[in-house]
Amino acid sequence: VQLQASGGGLVQAGGSRRLSCAASGRTFSNYVMSWFRQAPGKEREFVAAISWGGGSTFYADSVKGRFTISRDNAKNTVYLQMNSLKPEDTAVYYCAAYKGRASATPTTSGMDSWGKGTLVTVSS
């Protein structure tokens, strides 16, 4: 599956932003979808994941209660709604897909496909 993330940009602290990730291919619904992010000078880290049907979601502690992951299998798209943004949320955000069980601990090495990142900058 090929992925293309979009929706990044500049937002003020406390604001909101929604990222989208469009997938190509007919088997989108077979994949667990995840979002990762990478801040300057830091390693890529897990943000959120959603199961095939969307019934299970998982979040990093740092975004729990502020971010919401969702998916629309009819549109082959996964979303990341980000609310109450903080300057420390500034990063390049990547969507990723893998076949398996959704969990709160997916690793970068476990992903089957990656989209190009989209930059989110949160100003204070």
Side-chain angles (χ1 to χ4, degrees):
V1 61
Q2 293 184 328
L3 306 172
Q4 179 64 55
S6 61
L10 178 64
V11 61
Q12 289 188 333
S16 298
R17 199 83 180 180
R18 189 176 82 155
L19 305 182
S20 300
C21 176
S24 63
R26 297 175 292 176
T27 59
F28 175 73
S29 60
N30 291 347
Y31 287 86
V32 176
M33 298 300 298
S34 296
W35 287 95
F36 287 75
R37 68 185 181 185
Q38 189 166 17
K42 295 187 176 181
E43 293 186 351
R44 194 170 298 188
E45 65 176 5
F46 167 73
V47 175
I50 187 166
S51 59
W52 311 316
S56 297
T57 56
F58 303 87
Y59 298 93
D61 288 342
S62 58
V63 306
K64 205 170 290 184
R66 300 188 298 121
F67 290 12
T68 302
I69 188 171
S70 61
R71 67 190 295 164
D72 185 338
N73 287 343
K75 295 182 178 181
N76 281 10
T77 302
V78 63
Y79 305 97
L80 185 68
Q81 177 66 44
M82 306 183 293
N83 299 329
S84 302
L85 282 161
K86 305 174 181 180
E88 52 263 42
D89 294 318
T90 295
V92 177
Y93 284 73
Y94 299 88
C95 58
Y98 68 97
K99 288 188 175 181
R101 297 188 66 178
S103 75
T105 57
T107 60
T108 55
S109 61
M111 299 299 111
D112 295 321
S113 301
W114 289 93
K116 290 184 178 180
T118 185
L119 175 63
V120 175
T121 303
V122 184
S123 63
S124 57

